[in-house]
Amino acid sequence: MHEEYKEILIIITRLLTNLGVPANIKGFDCLRLSILYVYLNDINCNTRITKDVYPYVGKCKNKNSKTIESLIRKTIENTWFNADLIIKKEIFGSIDENTRINPTNKEYIYTIADKLKLNMIN
């Protein structure tokens, strides 16, 4: 395995865990692989996640795109409000603690990948 790939995978894993996403939740691997794919392929936010990212992850995980989307969405929904507020603010910016709205799959994946590209996450 390429060293850069391993290193970024470790950073993504640590980040997701720090955000409160347990590694044993079904969508963890799908979310991690989506972030890694966006990061490594230098995909920008104008790319349609449903036409590019989900099919790739689905192929790797032997699942269809709809299942991948659902697993990622449920993972974000179920872990967003338990995540460390300081880490969420560091990555996602200003967050209204009283608003019960979590980011979309696309916002979550692309924001983390973009911050990684800009070396804003250690």
Side-chain angles (χ1 to χ4, degrees):
M1 184 181 290
H2 191 270
E3 279 304 309
E4 179 192 6
Y5 175 86
K6 261 176 58 172
E7 190 177 313
I8 200 66
L9 194 58
I10 290 168
I11 292 169
I12 294 169
T13 301
R14 187 179 314 123
L15 173 65
L16 290 175
T17 302
N18 288 343
L19 277 169
V21 182
N24 65 343
I25 197 167
K26 282 185 179 182
F28 183 89
D29 282 338
C30 297
L31 185 55
R32 180 174 60 177
L33 187 54
S34 297
I35 295 165
L36 181 66
Y37 180 75
V38 169
Y39 173 81
L40 290 176
N41 292 287
D42 202 27
I43 295 172
N44 63 44
C45 64
N46 295 325
T47 304
R48 290 181 29 186
I49 196 167
T50 56
K51 298 292 182 190
D52 194 18
V53 180
Y54 296 155
Y56 171 79
V57 175
K59 193 175 181 186
C60 293
K61 296 295 177 184
N62 203 23
K63 298 185 182 311
N64 66 43
S65 294
K66 191 113 179 118
T67 301
I68 297 301
E69 182 279 328
S70 178
L71 285 169
I72 291 173
R73 180 175 31 81
K74 288 176 183 173
T75 298
I76 293 169
E77 287 172 356
N78 292 333
T79 60
W80 180 252
F81 300 106
N82 296 325
D84 183 289
L85 188 59
I86 294 169
I87 294 171
K88 282 197 306 190
K89 284 183 178 181
E90 178 185 324
I91 296 167
F92 296 96
S94 179
I95 297 171
D96 183 357
E97 297 175 48
N98 300 318
T99 303
R100 301 294 295 173
I101 299 172
N102 52 280
T104 65
N105 291 5
K106 185 174 184 175
E107 291 169 334
Y108 195 96
I109 292 165
Y110 284 81
T111 299
I112 291 174
D114 191 50
K115 298 279 182 169
L116 289 168
K117 288 176 198 173
L118 298 172
N119 292 320
M120 295 179 74
I121 300 172
N122 297 323

